Amino acid sequence: MPFGCHFALSRNRLYAIAAILRDYPRDGTWYLGFMIVDAAQRGRGVGRSIYSTVESWAAARGATEIRLAVLEANEAAERFWRSLGFIEYRRVGPDTFKMRSHRRIELSRRLSGATVEGSNK
């Protein structure tokens, strides 16, 4: 399962990173495993910029859909992804991690305009 990793540097300091899996869980669907932006850089368009780069890179390599998950408790992340056009695919959990119970919201964005399988939208 090939993957891509994108990052942003300023003055030799890493301030954003993203990793994506190709063709997971199926051909054409790519899964954004994580995207992290340094807290000091948030609100400056860095997240949108790095996501745009990742999406363009993936689309040029055959991606037709990008999926990702956010923790239900991370409302800021959910708002961010929805503002980029991601829609809820399903909710998963609760799962226990580090002695805390978490639910994940799985989100999806079609790159070709087709509807998302399993979506109610």
Side-chain angles (χ1 to χ4, degrees):
M1 190 173 343
F3 73 97
C5 186
H6 298 267
F7 57 91
L9 294 170
S10 176
R11 298 183 186 139
N12 293 324
R13 183 169 178 259
L14 179 68
Y15 65 88
I17 189 165
I20 192 165
L21 294 172
R22 180 183 192 141
D23 297 327
Y24 178 82
R26 64 177 177 262
D27 288 352
T29 299
W30 290 37
Y31 196 89
L32 187 62
F34 66 87
M35 189 173 94
I36 302 168
V37 176
D38 183 310
Q41 298 295 323
R42 292 182 189 153
R44 298 180 180 185
V46 172
R48 289 179 185 280
S49 177
I50 198 166
Y51 174 74
S52 177
T53 299
V54 168
E55 181 181 288
S56 295
W57 181 84
R61 286 156 182 80
T64 57
E65 176 185 8
I66 294 180
R67 290 186 182 180
L68 57 90
V70 297
L71 294 180
E72 194 174 59
N74 191 346
E75 294 173 359
E78 182 183 357
R79 279 192 309 274
F80 171 77
W81 292 112
R82 287 183 185 271
S83 78
L84 292 174
F86 280 81
I87 60 170
E88 184 173 329
Y89 179 70
R90 66 180 178 167
R91 292 192 184 229
V92 181
D95 297 312
T96 301
F97 178 70
K98 292 191 176 183
M99 300 190 61
R100 294 185 65 196
S101 181
H102 299 280
R103 288 180 52 88
R104 293 183 322 276
I105 303 169
E106 294 190 358
L107 302 170
S108 177
R109 175 176 157 87
R110 292 294 295 182
L111 305 185
S112 63
T115 59
V116 176
E117 178 184 317
S119 171
N120 58 5
K121 296 187 179 191

